């Protein structure tokens, strides 16, 4: 069942952008999105977004909605809405819908990345949908959010890039990591513990949990006890590093 939250209107040009999380505002997430969009925005795509409402503006609104609507579940875990409806003026909608799949995938990736930084969990898969709203002024957008368990609880498609170039596909079962031969991923490294860490599906991503290992578990060079992962994170166990990839 989906539990809806208040909608969020994108301010008119010149209006201040303020609110929860506005100081940090997912700056790194937005920079990453801008880089990906710059790579994708070529030819017809570039001409399409030469003027008018820009995808990066919608991404800012989505990240602000995540911060504004975060809540806590019955176990005290911080959670974020996972269903987002972006309402657009008709002329903006007509431009955006032409590249709907590419844009909504990038928006969802940015939401997941920001949630990972903020240690927020989701009740289900992150979905971003575009909707035509003729009453909206061109250049504005409105975001409606919901906590929706019906979007699917199956493990998201992901894998680990191993040092030898091979992949370890991730699924619904817990992946055990360590020197022991009974681990899913066996490490040939005396600096790793026999049972070093577990990797388990958690909402729209995976949770890495250190098992009180001797030398610790690191994500992007930082020691962690548990960490929700984002696409591209480097996971280090002892002296062995692997790359987490979320599709």
């Amino acid at each position: 069942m989906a539990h809806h939250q208040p909608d969020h209107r994108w301010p008119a040009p010149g209006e201040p952008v303020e609110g929860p999380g506005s100081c940090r505002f997912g700056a790194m997430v937005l920079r990453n999105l801008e880089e990906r969009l710059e790579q994708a925005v070529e030819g017809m795509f570039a001409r399409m977004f030469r003027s008018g409402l820009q995808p990066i503006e919608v991404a800012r609104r989505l990240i602000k909605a995540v911060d504004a609507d975060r809540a806590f579940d019955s176990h005290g875990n911080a959670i974020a809405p996972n269903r987002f409806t972006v309402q657009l003026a008709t002329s903006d909608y007509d431009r955006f819908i032409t590249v709907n799949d590419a844009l909504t995938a990038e928006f969802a990736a940015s939401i997941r990345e920001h949630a990972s930084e903020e240690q927020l969990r989701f009740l289900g898969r992150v979905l971003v949908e575009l909707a035509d709203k003729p009453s909206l002024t061109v250049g504005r957008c409105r975001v409606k959010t919901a906590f929706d368990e019906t979007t699917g609880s199956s493990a998201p498609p992901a894998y680990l890039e191993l040092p030898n170039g091979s992949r370890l596909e991730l699924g619904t079962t817990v992946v055990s990591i360590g020197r022991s031969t009974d681990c899913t991923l066996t490490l040939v490294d005396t600096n790793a513990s026999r049972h070093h860490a577990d990797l388990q599906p958690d909402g729209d991503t995976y949770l890495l949990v250190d098992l009180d290992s001797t030398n610790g578990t690191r994500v992007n060079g930082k020691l962690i006890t548990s960490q929700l992962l984002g696409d591209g994170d480097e996971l280090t166990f002892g002296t062995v590093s692997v790359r987490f990839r979320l599709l």
Side-chain angles (χ1 to χ4, degrees):
M1 180 177 180
H3 304 283
H4 295 280
Q5 298 293 313
D7 62 354
H8 301 270
R9 177 184 62 82
W10 180 253
E15 287 186 39
V17 178
E18 310 224 340
S22 60
C23 291
R24 40 197 171 76
F25 210 55
M28 180 62 71
V29 174
L30 293 173
R31 280 199 294 272
N32 292 343
L33 175 62
E34 283 184 302
E35 291 176 1
R36 292 196 298 267
L37 287 174
E38 284 175 1
Q39 295 173 2
V41 176
E42 298 178 355
M44 182 181 70
F45 199 11
R47 292 191 296 274
M48 191 179 305
F49 292 102
R50 185 172 295 167
S51 61
L53 183 66
Q54 298 295 304
I56 194 65
E57 294 174 328
V58 175
R60 289 191 184 102
R61 170 51 39 193
L62 288 165
I63 289 174
K64 187 176 181 184
V66 169
D67 286 336
D69 293 347
R70 65 176 65 191
F72 292 92
D73 64 16
S74 58
H75 302 291
N77 298 312
I79 58 174
N82 61 304
R83 193 177 198 109
F84 300 81
T85 301
V86 181
Q87 297 179 338
L88 303 166
T90 297
S91 61
D92 290 326
Y93 174 81
D94 289 342
R95 287 186 300 123
F96 275 64
I97 201 65
T98 306
V99 285
N100 175 74
D101 291 347
L103 281 180
T104 54
E106 290 295 349
F107 291 153
S110 296
I111 290 167
R112 288 194 300 264
E113 187 177 352
H114 180 64
S116 177
E117 288 183 354
E118 296 294 306
Q119 289 293 282
L120 297 170
R121 300 182 180 186
F122 299 106
L123 296 182
R125 302 294 302 277
V126 173
L127 292 180
V128 180
E129 302 165 305
L130 304 180
D132 185 9
K133 188 73 171 177
S135 61
L136 277 179
T137 303
V138 174
R140 295 190 181 190
C141 75
R142 184 177 292 135
V143 174
K144 292 191 173 184
T145 68
F147 294 89
D148 192 351
E149 297 173 316
T150 67
T151 60
S153 57
S154 61
Y159 62 89
L160 296 179
E161 289 181 354
L162 305 182
N164 63 5
S166 63
R167 294 183 179 184
L168 174 62
E169 301 292 336
L170 304 178
T172 57
T173 58
V174 174
V175 171
S176 56
I177 302 167
R179 285 190 296 110
S180 176
T181 56
D182 64 4
C183 288
T184 313
L185 176 59
T186 301
L187 304 174
V188 183
D189 179 11
T190 56
N191 292 291
S193 298
R194 285 179 54 78
H195 295 95
H196 197 107
D198 280 346
L199 187 58
Q200 59 195 52
D202 191 312
D204 204 55
T205 184
Y206 286 77
L207 179 70
L208 180 64
V209 180
D210 180 74
L211 301 178
D212 197 23
S213 62
T214 301
N215 292 313
T217 298
R218 296 177 184 270
V219 176
N220 300 324
K222 181 181 177 182
L223 278 171
I224 61 98
T225 53
S226 65
Q227 173 81 44
L228 289 170
L229 300 179
D231 179 46
D233 281 348
E234 182 183 62
L235 321 181
T236 303
F237 317 98
T239 60
V240 178
S241 292
V242 301
R243 186 77 60 180
F244 174 76
R245 289 299 184 187
L246 187 63
L247 302 177

